[in-house]
Amino acid sequence: MIYNEDFETLPREVLETLQLKRLKQVVERVYHTVGFYRRAFDQAGVQPDDITSLADLRKFPFTTKQDLRDNYPFGMFAVPMSSVVRLHASSGTTGRATVVGYTKRDIDTWSELMARCLVAAGLTKNDIIHNAYGYGLFTGGLGVHYGAEKLGASVIPISGGNTKRQIMILQDFGPTAICCTPSYALNLAEQGKEMGVDMKTLKLRTGIFGAEPWSEKMRVEIENTMGLTALNIYGLSEIMGPGVAMECTEERHGMHIFEDHFLVEVINPQTGEILPPGEEGELVFTTITKEAFPLIRYRTRDISRLLPAPCRCGRTHARMDRITGRSDDMLIIRGVNVFPSQIEAVLVGCEGVEPHYQIIVDRVGNLDTLEIQVEVSEKLFANADEVKVLQNTERRIIKDIKDYLGISAKVKLVEPKSLQRFEGKASRVQDRRQI
């Protein structure tokens, strides 16, 4: 099923003609309405008229999260506040929050793109969607909510938290789909097991998971635990929120980017060089239809690659691979680049441990140290008197980390349910080198 065949199946030549028209309009508009862009373009020696092809976009400067913070709260808006009907903001945990605004048309566009995502996941107006993304200033909850209503589906606006109540609602209301972070899905499954609830007996058949990097092995873990089809969604508040790209049920390999609304580039994060399709690098997005908060060449810091091959679902928009990490939370340990998702991939494949872990990076003298705390399973913990079993498990993880990542790590097995659980994005890393 395809929600909007007219746009989602456009031939590449027609799509690029539309993209160029919209790109010219947005570059012209931000130059005359956003002081930051006028200054940035002038400093780079480029003008809106320099856009004569899509390739000309590379002449224009990047926009960064720091630029958004420097213009806090509304300095990047391209419309007066009288036209802004909604404000969202990031948590601001790593600095000043980034604030995003939406006009009525922006909300309508966002709602349609989320409806496209839900249809790509095989959902219809007959579905009941348990929406456990956070509501409020976070874009996840309301983004999914409006898309579900646009589709005509029933929405349970449960938001995050109160996990025991969520299990009860899942049993009583019988939702057929769930939307949340992948780490919270595992949290729900764990809580359900404690309550004596077999998650596979619920009516859930589809899960739409995003807002944090997760591995293919974690997908298998969720599907086996919850008895549903797990699909990947991508978005970020600065670009729109959830609904920028979505996996389809036909292939479940790569997320279709809605290219009639977003231009995407992949760059080398160190040099800014544009990389060809298939090469992994940092995603850069340009919004070509947003009114209140358009962004030109926004550096997401998300690491992925483009998959331009045709998809049998019929959508012609390019796909992006799953996010493997972020260029700004990439750990460099003794000269080796490490992403938390790589460590997760090793742990999820290890028998006897749970997918709950904490990564602690420290420095002793001039040497970086890496410690991974990971919960053992109830079964293994019950046999904790078998010291040899625990030691063998630790040794195996240490060996797998060394083989897979090329670095040595200390592994500490901890009791079940002793590590912090996350209702939103999981915070897996403690980097004590900067303390």
Side-chain angles (χ1 to χ4, degrees), residues 399-414:
K399 181 181 183 301
D400 288 349
I401 292 287
K402 178 71 173 177
D403 291 345
Y404 185 47
L405 299 178
I407 58 171
S408 300
K410 176 184 176 182
V411 173
K412 181 179 179 181
L413 299 181
V414 298

Side-chain angles (χ1 to χ4, degrees), residues 162-399:
N162 207 338
T163 304
K164 289 184 178 179
R165 183 165 182 256
Q166 296 224 20
I167 299 293
M168 183 185 73
I169 295 292
L170 285 168
Q171 290 178 287
D172 295 347
F173 289 14
T176 51
I178 184 169
C179 301
C180 62
T181 62
S183 55
Y184 190 56
L186 289 172
N187 193 356
L188 282 168
E190 182 180 73
Q191 185 68 58
K193 185 178 179 181
E194 278 188 13
M195 295 169 62
V197 177
D198 182 356
M199 303 298 281
K200 293 181 181 179
T201 65
L202 301 176
K203 292 184 178 179
L204 291 174
R205 73 172 196 278
T206 303
I208 298 174
F209 305 115
E212 63 188 18
W214 55 303
S215 63
E216 196 63 31
K217 289 182 178 179
M218 196 169 185
R219 189 209 298 264
V220 173
E221 176 84 11
I222 292 171
E223 291 185 335
N224 290 341
T225 305
M226 301 189 73
L228 48 70
T229 298
L231 295 165
N232 205 352
I233 189 171
Y234 176 76
L236 63 163
S237 296
E238 299 93 319
I239 298 302
M240 184 182 71
V244 174
M246 178 70 201
E247 272 187 330
C248 60
T249 55
E250 286 83 356
E251 290 206 6
R252 293 206 306 159
H253 177 58
M255 295 165 277
H256 289 278
I257 302 164
F258 298 118
E259 292 186 279
D260 51 328
H261 293 274
F262 310 105
L263 296 181
V264 62
E265 303 166 89
V266 178
I267 65 167
N268 179 315
Q270 277 75 47
T271 66
E273 172 197 3
I274 297 175
L275 301 175
E279 285 198 30
E280 189 174 77
E282 180 185 338
L283 295 173
V284 174
F285 277 94
T286 296
T287 66
I288 53 176
T289 58
K290 282 181 68 178
E291 292 183 332
F293 189 70
L295 288 176
I296 308 300
R297 302 197 80 197
Y298 181 71
R299 293 189 60 163
T300 67
R301 299 296 182 179
D302 288 329
I303 300 298
S304 184
R305 64 192 178 108
L306 296 183
L307 307 171
C311 181
R312 58 193 173 97
C313 74
R315 293 173 179 85
T316 54
H317 297 176
R319 287 171 289 164
M320 54 177 273
D321 209 347
R322 64 171 58 251
I323 302 298
T324 59
R326 289 177 58 82
S327 62
D328 55 357
D329 72 5
M330 177 178 69
L331 300 169
I332 302 178
I333 312 231
R334 300 190 291 277
V336 179
N337 295 345
V338 179
F339 288 107
S341 57
Q342 294 174 310
I343 293 174
E344 177 192 286
V346 172
L347 298 177
V348 172
C350 183
E351 186 178 355
V353 301
E354 298 293 326
H356 302 290
Y357 61 93
Q358 187 78 49
I359 300 167
I360 300 171
V361 185
D362 210 337
R363 180 164 290 147
V364 178
N366 294 318
L367 183 65
D368 292 337
T369 63
L370 175 65
E371 177 179 315
I372 303 165
Q373 298 180 357
V374 57
E375 289 184 12
V376 297
S377 65
E378 294 278 4
K379 181 179 178 182
L380 188 61
F381 185 67
N383 297 321
D385 54 324
E386 298 284 342
V387 177
K388 187 175 291 186
V389 175
L390 294 175
Q391 289 176 338
N392 287 342
T393 302
E394 281 188 357
R395 278 196 289 265
R396 179 189 166 189
I397 296 173
I398 290 170
K399 181 181 183 301

